[in-house]
Amino acid sequence: MSEMRVVGVRVELPANQPILLLRETEGERYLPIWIGSVEATAIALEQQGVKPARPLTHDLLKDVIGGLGRDLEQVIITDLQESTFFAELVFDGDVRVSARPSDSVALALRMGVPIHAEEGVLEEAGLLIPDEQEDEVEKFREFLDSVSPEDFRGADT
């Protein structure tokens, strides 16, 4: 399992589909995940330090978790099946709750907990983006210009 960090959220054109890009903290692989626009907005706002006038759903969930006296310890991207990613929220006492990766990442950013990806997910969908001299945002833009959802189908499909 590898710890991941959020590089950012961008919109893939012409489909206008948001993509969350994660990168190994101690490696070279990137993990692109297509996500919904609401979750993309929630992630981008948190990364930019923007606090909405009213709490978003992920802010509410953070408050509920704290109000119940629980601790979110980590988020794990656990699986990839038929182009769909799966994740788990891991709480104190090893309580695990299945969740979408986009919601998991939005919550992890708000709660300051690590994001991990299982090795099998990285082997199947992780990418090396060439030209290490460029900054990550530029590499991500170039990646978006050359990728399609079909690129993430497993070898069996």
Side-chain angles (χ1 to χ4, degrees):
M1 190 160 39
S2 292
E3 185 168 350
M4 309 297 287
R5 67 180 176 82
V6 177
V7 173
V9 177
R10 299 291 180 269
V11 177
E12 183 262 337
L13 298 173
N16 217 23
Q17 178 70 42
I19 299 175
L20 166 65
L21 187 65
L22 304 173
R23 182 179 182 186
E24 287 180 296
T25 57
E26 307 244 342
E28 310 245 337
R29 291 178 291 186
Y30 289 81
L31 187 61
I33 302 174
W34 269 260
I35 63 175
S37 60
V38 172
E39 294 78 14
T41 300
I43 291 168
L45 288 176
E46 186 63 25
Q47 276 198 301
Q48 295 167 7
V50 175
K51 298 296 178 202
R54 301 285 299 151
L56 299 176
T57 303
H58 301 97
D59 302 308
L60 171 64
L61 187 52
K62 173 187 172 189
D63 292 344
V64 168
I65 292 166
L68 293 173
R70 300 308 300 250
D71 291 316
L72 179 64
E73 295 180 344
Q74 67 176 319
V75 164
I76 304 173
I77 299 170
T78 57
D79 202 4
L80 174 60
Q81 298 177 19
E82 298 177 15
S83 301
T84 301
F85 288 89
F86 294 83
E88 288 183 342
L89 304 173
V90 181
F91 294 92
D92 53 313
D94 201 34
V95 173
R96 294 171 181 250
V97 176
S98 179
R100 295 183 303 183
S102 55
D103 290 325
S104 300
V105 167
L107 188 58
L109 288 173
R110 283 164 174 74
M111 299 191 77
V113 301
I115 301 164
H116 292 95
E118 293 285 356
E119 185 59 31
V121 173
L122 287 168
E123 286 176 6
E124 186 171 344
L127 300 172
L128 291 174
I129 299 177
D131 195 3
E132 294 300 319
Q133 299 300 322
E134 296 180 43
D135 74 326
E136 290 177 352
V137 174
E138 186 58 34
K139 288 187 285 185
F140 188 36
R141 287 186 182 127
E142 290 176 15
F143 163 74
L144 291 178
D145 291 339
S146 66
V147 73
S148 69
E150 291 76 31
D151 292 332
F152 299 98
R153 295 212 169 111
D156 315 14
T157 56

